[in-house]
Amino acid sequence: MTSTIAPNQAAPAAEVGKPAGKLSKLSIVGYGAGDAANNLAFTTASMFLLIYYTDVAGISAAAAGTLLLVVRVFDAFADIFAGRIVDRTYSKKFGKFRPFIMFGSIPLLLLSAATFSVPQIGESGMLIYAYLTYAALGLAYSLVNIPYGSLAGAMTQDSGERAKLASARSIGGMLVGAGLGIFVAPLIVPGADLQTLFTFMTLGFVVVGTALYFFTVFTAKERVVRDVAHVSLKQSFAVLKGNKPLLLLCISSFVFLTGYLALATVQLFYLRDVLHSLPLYAVISMVQLVATFGLAAFIPRIVRRFGKRNGYIFGAVVMAVGGLIVFFAPSGLPALGFGGLVLCQVGIVLVNMLVWTLEADTVEYGEWKTGVRAEGITYALFSFTRKTGQAVGGALAAFALAWGGYVGGAATQTAHAELGIRAGAGLIPLAASVIAAVVMVFYPLTDKKHKEIVAEIAARRAATGSAIPIDPALSTASFTVSRGPNGAPPTD
């Protein structure tokens, strides 16, 4: 084994003797625990922050929508800042990414509790408090999530192992989402003491989340060789420049996340106020959980048989069909509307599993072109576009509620208000997923191409002796490497 960052540095004792690129079950589970901790803050905000602002704090839907848009755009720029900090940082003992998780986790979880504790200090005072706490939460999340997301690419270059990490990550996040949907969402009814509920819940997450984060820190190790420990600003821009696969993935992910967050933001409204079947929220959460575990078992096979890009496109198409059903399903046929939500969730789970492996592949593409491995800034740009998609999606959902005339806390909503909810839950996800699929049709970094790139990087390292070579077989091994004339390496 080789070092995490610096060439010729001994590997951690726990990793010695492990076949190159292969991960232990403990490290895979440990990595998944990190996203479970992330989602104690992220999914809680995605699912409940809008309804908390409108129904508990008393902030209008339009003001809340503007707040979500502004702060999430700020969050996106915070990702770029975090990416640069990560690329410039290195700890000999813990590597490049885990120190951020260690020291940023508790502030992040405490800020999540503060975000759901808006004091009744007048409309202006509440808005200022909401802006400050949510913005601080977003910055803290960036300083933990960017290193966490970058960690996967530094753990292995084996596409099968990366698929396992992506599955573990999705399972960790979905377990939290399902728990919130099953045990918390049914309690969001008019007249309930929601402030007490959110206060105790988020404070409990501080304890649970801290334990999960530290489990990740001590089990998920960085094992991929890099020749440059501290990446300069110039090198960061060089890595990003001309990375067409990353650009197209960012565009597609931005659009897809717009639809996903619109649905996630108003799904509770749709079940409660349109289908009048709030108990189904717990059922859809269980469906998400089953779909996540079911697909996780097949993701490596899907990658080998169809490729990551084709699987991504298929998932987006499934979500589009679901969005179409959600928008047009009559209120008197809740089973049909629920079926549309199920299709949406299946498509979302598939895309969310595959997108992380696609992002990790673009790191090798940047390294292949520049000779510099920069997970931090690559993941930061990717996360930047996802955050802006989340910002736009959440804001569009809130604006759809405002356009429809949604009244917070009302027992029943008007037909026009229901139409606004339908638009947020069905029409926006439909349009977004179709566009996302079309963009990915032009994505050039196929699994075969990625294997060729990893092989050439390994050959360069072997020729220069700068580090122990990476086994070329650690790419997507299900595809045959096609070389150029006379065995020439791949060309851009």
Side-chain angles (χ1 to χ4, degrees), residues 357-373:
T357 63
L358 288 164
E359 183 277 331
D361 288 352
T362 66
V363 173
E364 272 85 45
Y365 186 90
E367 181 181 6
W368 173 61
K369 295 199 70 172
T370 66
V372 176
R373 187 174 185 85

Side-chain angles (χ1 to χ4, degrees), residues 308-328:
K308 296 186 284 289
R309 179 183 66 179
N310 292 338
Y312 180 107
I313 292 172
F314 179 74
V317 171
V318 171
M319 179 178 171
V321 174
L324 183 68
I325 295 173
V326 166
F327 183 68
F328 286 106

Side-chain angles (χ1 to χ4, degrees), residues 60-278:
S60 70
T66 302
L67 186 158
L68 294 178
L69 176 62
V70 171
V71 175
R72 285 174 177 169
V73 170
F74 166 79
D75 290 350
F77 284 97
D79 282 352
I80 300 296
F81 168 76
R84 281 296 305 137
I85 296 296
V86 169
D87 276 341
R88 296 180 61 183
T89 303
Y90 167 62
S91 164
K92 290 184 178 180
K93 184 174 182 180
F94 291 104
K96 202 172 189 66
F97 306 117
R98 291 181 294 155
F100 290 91
I101 301 173
M102 291 177 66
F103 297 109
S105 55
I106 296 177
L108 166 63
L109 295 166
L110 289 173
L111 283 167
S112 178
T115 300
F116 282 91
S117 301
V118 177
Q120 295 296 314
I121 51 177
E123 184 176 354
S124 297
M126 288 190 296
L127 271 176
I128 292 172
Y129 179 91
Y131 269 97
L132 291 177
T133 52
Y134 193 33
L137 174 64
L139 178 59
Y141 184 76
S142 294
L143 289 170
V144 172
N145 185 56
I146 295 299
Y148 170 79
S150 303
L151 180 60
M155 291 175 68
T156 180
Q157 288 182 301
D158 184 319
S159 285
E161 297 301 295
R162 282 182 175 173
K164 292 177 183 177
L165 290 176
S167 297
R169 175 177 187 163
S170 297
I171 289 172
M174 195 57 66
L175 282 171
V176 172
L180 292 172
I182 294 169
F183 299 110
V184 179
L187 304 177
I188 312 298
V189 295
D193 185 4
L194 298 181
Q195 182 60 72
T196 300
L197 170 66
F198 285 119
T199 297
F200 280 101
M201 180 180 70
T202 52
L203 288 177
F205 287 169
V206 175
V207 178
V208 177
T210 300
L212 290 171
Y213 275 128
F214 275 81
F215 180 48
T216 299
V217 167
F218 292 111
T219 57
K221 306 293 180 67
E222 303 167 28
R223 304 165 65 236
V224 174
V225 174
R226 70 180 72 246
D227 298 322
V228 179
H230 305 280
V231 182
S232 69
L233 182 62
K234 182 178 180 180
Q235 288 171 324
S236 292
F237 281 118
V239 169
L240 298 179
K241 183 180 179 181
N243 196 328
K244 184 178 179 181
L246 177 62
L247 174 63
L248 290 177
L249 184 63
C250 285
I251 294 172
S252 179
S253 192
F254 164 82
V255 180
F256 187 84
L257 262 292
T258 297
Y260 171 29
L261 259 292
L263 173 60
T265 302
V266 299
Q267 184 171 257
L268 189 149
F269 295 86
Y270 180 75
L271 287 168
R272 186 187 68 182
D273 300 317
V274 176
L275 300 184
H276 309 292
S277 303
L278 182 59

